[in-house]
Amino acid sequence: RLDAAMQRYIDADMVAGVVTLVARRGELVHLKAQGHRYIEDNDAMGVEDIFVIMSMTKPIVSTALMMLFEEGYFLLDDPISKYMPKFADKEVLVETDGVVERVPADRPITFRHVLSHTAGVDPSRNLLSEEERARPRGGATLEERLVAQGPLPLAFHPGDEWRYGSSTNYVALLVERISGQSLDQFLKERIFEPLGMVDTHYNVPASKVDRVAAVYSPSGPGRTIELRSAPSTREEPTRYFGGTAGLSSTAADYFRFSQMILNGGELNGVRLLSPTTVNLMVTNHTGDLPIYIKGPDAYGFGLGFTMLTDPAKARQAVTPGTFGWGGAWGTVFWIDPTEELVSILMMQISSYGHFTLRQDFPNLVMQAITESYHSGSQDIRGYQEIPRRD
């Protein structure tokens, strides 16, 4: 059913190709590539192909900061100004009857706020002064960009709202400032190499360009796909290592990361986090605040992950407590601790709001489970290595 549903979208020219992966209790039960990596060259999609994962960067970067949490560098309710002094004593934009005022923030931005998207660090540009709107928005490095944005006011008092945006960039910069390493080096040494994630990069090597998936956009007739960007790698390596996006990866690599989280922080004898910290990350930290990007009232948000809290209001038929996130170019993953399940979908399309492939995917995975496994434990007793080509 999963293969047939994916093929229907491919045949309808809604997506060029997909890679789907499903694993249960550490055992790989499904890994399939369908369609094309690059239609224009008639290159078939392969299970080892590399995708820009956009916001699926966020859970990895959040994990990096929580590794430093375990080493005692901060508490969740410490202000981030402990390591980022320019973010102390912030002002908040308040609009009343068309009049915009600036008031002192009720509380400082904390580590919990930036990890859970409740920091308010993305003020509406139309409420900023002309001078503030003229501030540089870019920068060769993440440090340069965030330091330039440091004086800007907040959109709301920290903790009062959930608003998806750039707060994981602050998580990334905190990793750099606490560790003394660039983010890409920290991730490589502390996460990617220990887990065997050999195809996850900010700068994909030129030698792997024949495995990079092309990006398509729904700009053709009837919102069918047209090529947006052919497979490529950067001529000049980037020095901008974002927390909100920036990584490229494969289904196999993201499975390793996901299985580590599902296992309570360990994979193949390598432990990155304790089970207590993992449970803290996948616990709802936003209470009843609407997580509007997933559907109000059905989901909560933890420290890098969203989780289903009310299945009756959800768009997917998944188990309460299932957690994960997706990327702006179509990638998505879900981890179900009750069924001990990891499901990953990889595709590359710059807008996907006109079709329901991402919503169909978890439903198609869950319908295959006819005998539920309820162990009450996150400890997985096995792990199947995905074969790699030489």
Side-chain angles (χ1 to χ4, degrees):
R1 290 178 182 175
L2 179 57
D3 292 351
M6 298 298 108
Q7 193 63 47
R8 286 196 297 270
Y9 285 107
I10 294 168
D11 293 343
D13 288 330
M14 307 299 281
V15 65
V18 301
V19 175
T20 47
L21 182 151
V22 182
R24 194 175 189 216
R25 300 180 66 187
E27 180 180 354
L28 186 69
V29 296
H30 170 94
L31 178 61
K32 184 71 174 288
Q34 295 173 251
H36 286 86
R37 174 184 74 90
Y38 185 25
I39 295 172
E40 287 68 20
D41 276 4
N42 198 31
D43 288 341
M45 187 72 79
V47 295
E48 294 183 339
D49 284 343
I50 297 170
F51 299 80
V52 177
I53 60 173
M54 298 298 277
S55 288
M56 279 169 56
T57 302
K58 291 180 173 75
I60 294 175
V61 175
S62 298
T63 294
L65 187 58
M66 292 306 291
M67 292 169 71
L68 296 170
F69 165 80
E70 285 199 337
E71 295 172 15
Y73 286 101
F74 63 90
L75 300 175
L76 287 179
D77 292 322
D78 283 348
I80 65 170
S81 59
K82 180 176 181 179
Y83 295 98
M84 300 172 66
K86 288 192 176 183
F87 289 86
D89 303 321
K90 299 293 290 182
E91 290 186 322
V92 176
L93 293 171
V94 178
E95 185 178 16
T96 306
D97 298 327
V99 177
V100 179
E101 297 180 298
R102 299 179 183 225
V103 301
D106 286 348
R107 58 196 70 89
I109 302 171
T110 67
F111 285 79
R112 191 190 308 271
H113 292 145
V114 293
L115 283 160
S116 62
H117 297 283
T118 57
V121 291
D122 295 299
S124 299
R125 285 184 61 80
N126 62 344
L127 299 182
L128 297 177
S129 69
E130 186 174 331
E131 178 186 353
E132 288 168 337
R133 288 195 294 271
R135 284 184 178 275
R137 301 185 67 187
T141 67
L142 182 65
E143 171 97 17
E144 291 176 7
R145 177 176 295 188
L146 294 191
V147 167
Q149 295 176 358
L152 295 180
L154 301 178
F156 51 82
H157 295 284
D160 281 4
E161 297 181 29
W162 184 90
R163 184 177 297 184
Y164 191 55
S166 67
S167 67
T168 316
N169 278 339
Y170 297 79
V171 172
L173 186 55
L174 286 164
V175 172
E176 292 190 337
R177 291 199 171 180
I178 294 171
S179 70
Q181 293 181 287
S182 66
L183 182 65
D184 68 325
Q185 194 64 31
F186 184 95
L187 296 182
K188 180 181 178 181
E189 292 181 5
R190 299 289 301 273
I191 296 179
F192 300 154
E193 289 181 347
L195 295 183
M197 297 172 64
V198 298
D199 288 323
T200 304
H201 312 277
Y202 280 102
N203 291 295
V204 177
S207 60
K208 298 182 181 182
V209 69
D210 63 345
R211 291 165 51 204
V212 173
V215 182
Y216 292 84
S217 62
S219 54
R223 304 204 73 177
T224 54
I225 56 171
E226 292 182 326
L227 182 67
R228 171 173 170 163
S229 58
S232 64
T233 58
R234 292 186 176 95
E235 293 184 8
E236 293 291 334
T238 184
R239 294 188 295 119
Y240 183 92
F241 308 118
T244 61
L247 286 174
S248 295
S249 190
T250 63
D253 271 15
Y254 217 88
F255 171 41
R256 290 176 175 82
F257 171 75
S258 301
Q259 190 69 44
M260 177 274 296
I261 293 293
L262 179 55
N263 288 357
E266 178 273 337
L267 183 71
N268 287 348
V270 174
R271 180 165 293 283
L272 302 188
L273 292 169
S274 72
T276 300
T277 299
V278 172
N279 286 335
L280 182 64
M281 295 175 70
V282 300
T283 296
N284 182 17
H285 287 251
T286 56
D288 296 328
L289 295 177
I291 311 302
Y292 60 85
I293 203 166
K294 284 289 184 182
D297 305 326
Y299 299 86
F301 206 91
L303 307 178
F305 304 85
T306 192
M307 65 287 306
L308 178 69
T309 56
D310 188 343
K313 298 177 181 177
R315 292 180 285 187
Q316 295 98 356
V318 296
T319 310
T322 296
F323 58 92
W325 200 239
W329 284 357
T331 60
V332 69
F333 78 106
W334 291 105
I335 300 173
D336 183 336
T338 300
E339 299 297 344
E340 305 200 31
L341 182 75
V342 172
S343 54
I344 298 169
L345 166 66
M346 296 291 203
M347 61 179 176
Q348 296 281 252
I349 182 166
S350 61
S351 175
Y352 50 83
H354 59 297
F355 68 118
T356 61
L357 190 155
R358 295 215 315 184
Q359 287 74 43
D360 295 340
F361 173 63
N363 298 340
L364 290 159
V365 172
M366 295 303 292
Q367 59 80 32
I369 298 177
T370 57
E371 182 180 349
S372 294
Y373 178 76
H374 301 280
S375 69
S377 170
Q378 289 186 326
D379 293 331
I380 307 301
R381 287 168 287 185
Y383 167 76
Q384 179 176 343
E385 181 68 21
I386 298 172
R388 294 188 177 278
R389 68 186 182 194
D390 294 331

